[in-house]
């Protein structure tokens, strides 16, 4: 009898839909809903993000709309357009209290199979955060450059003053100066390593 009960419970756990399985379909970024940049992950299925293996887990909010991708969490927040359209330095995208601005145009070299794709990408930065996202309109965010202090508030500046051993790094200034892709710029970018593209424009694509 105990063996039969165990088997029934196993079938229930394997085949019954879970809350996680239902939540996984309710994100505006991709069907899988999990992205990894270096050792940092964004898990839209469970609404959490943070460094892999760390106890510093943040609450992840998917604030996406029909027009924009949007995420908010403790260390990184960003808004990106879903519709393919010309992008220029100075453009800004806003959802609620989150605004992301295009701060620099980044020349890039495409491969032989990328004929017709733009010869540039962009550096975008969200107000209040010392972070730059290396953003390719066709391929989404390819890497994240996080400066120090992490935020641009007065409180963050005080925190940085208390840690003089950590050199200050201004991610936005780095991009504006045209040094984002230089190997010796003092930054260790978090490059995307998961299979789904992060925030590409969707014109001509199935959503």
């Amino acid at each position: 009898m105990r063996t039969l009960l165990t088997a029934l419970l196993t079938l229930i756990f394997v085949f019954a839909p879970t809350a996680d399985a239902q939540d996984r379909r309710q994100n505006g970024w991709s069907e899988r809903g999990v992205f990894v940049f270096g050792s940092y992950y964004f898990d839209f299925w469970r609404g959490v993000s943070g460094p892999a293996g760390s106890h510093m887990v943040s609450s992840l909010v998917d604030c996406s709309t029909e027009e924009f991708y949007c995420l908010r969490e403790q260390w990184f927040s960003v808004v990106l357009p879903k519709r393919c359209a010309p992008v220029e330095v100075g453009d800004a995208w806003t959802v609620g209290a989150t605004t992301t601005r295009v701060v620099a145009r980044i020349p890039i070299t495409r491969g032989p199979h990328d004929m017709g794709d733009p010869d540039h990408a962009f550096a975008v930065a969200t107000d209040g955060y010392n972070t730059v996202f290396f953003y390719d309109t066709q391929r989404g965010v390819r890497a994240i450059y996080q400066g120090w202090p992490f935020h641009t508030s007065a409180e963050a500046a005080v925190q940085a003053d208390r840690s003089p051993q950590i050199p200050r790094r201004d991610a936005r200034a780095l991009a504006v100066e045209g040094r984002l892709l230089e190997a010796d710029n003092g930054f260790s970018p978090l490059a995307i390593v998961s299979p789904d593209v992060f925030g590409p424009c969707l014109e001509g694509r199935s959503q």
Side-chain angles (χ1 to χ4, degrees), residues 20-203:
D20 276 351
Q22 293 169 355
D23 291 344
R24 289 172 186 175
R25 298 182 180 90
Q26 298 174 3
N27 80 86
W29 290 80
S30 76
E31 183 178 354
R32 276 181 285 235
V34 176
F35 302 88
V36 181
F37 287 83
S39 61
Y40 202 92
Y41 67 90
F42 300 102
D43 186 343
F44 288 97
W45 289 353
R46 295 167 179 81
V48 295
S49 56
S54 170
H55 67 281
M56 297 191 308
V57 177
S58 297
S59 175
L60 176 64
V61 176
D62 180 7
C63 44
S64 300
T65 67
E66 290 186 2
E67 293 184 78
F68 298 104
Y69 302 99
C70 176
L71 77 82
R72 298 189 187 106
E73 58 110 75
Q74 183 176 6
W75 309 112
F76 303 106
S77 291
V78 69
V79 177
L80 299 169
K82 288 185 176 180
R83 184 174 65 88
C84 293
V87 175
E88 301 291 342
V89 174
D91 288 352
W93 309 301
T94 299
V95 173
T98 304
T99 296
T100 299
R101 304 178 189 277
V102 182
V103 299
R105 184 178 184 273
I106 310 296
I108 57 175
T109 302
R110 297 288 188 184
H113 303 292
D114 298 322
M115 297 294 292
D117 284 349
D119 62 353
H120 59 274
F122 297 94
V124 302
T126 299
D127 291 356
Y129 292 80
N130 186 3
T131 299
V132 162
F133 297 85
F134 178 58
Y135 170 61
D136 184 330
T137 55
Q138 302 296 317
R139 294 166 174 79
V141 173
R142 310 304 304 276
I144 302 173
Y145 293 74
Q146 189 175 37
W148 173 257
F150 300 142
H151 300 98
T152 58
S153 65
E155 292 81 2
V158 170
Q159 180 186 15
D161 289 339
R162 293 172 180 168
S163 304
Q165 72 279 10
I166 305 177
R168 293 197 179 214
R169 297 181 301 176
D170 188 332
R172 188 183 303 239
L174 181 79
V176 171
E177 292 166 5
R179 301 180 54 233
L180 193 68
L181 301 185
E182 291 184 1
D184 60 348
N185 61 24
F187 282 71
S188 297
L190 301 171
I192 192 166
V193 294
S194 50
D196 290 353
V197 287
F198 187 85
C201 66
L202 296 174
E203 185 176 296

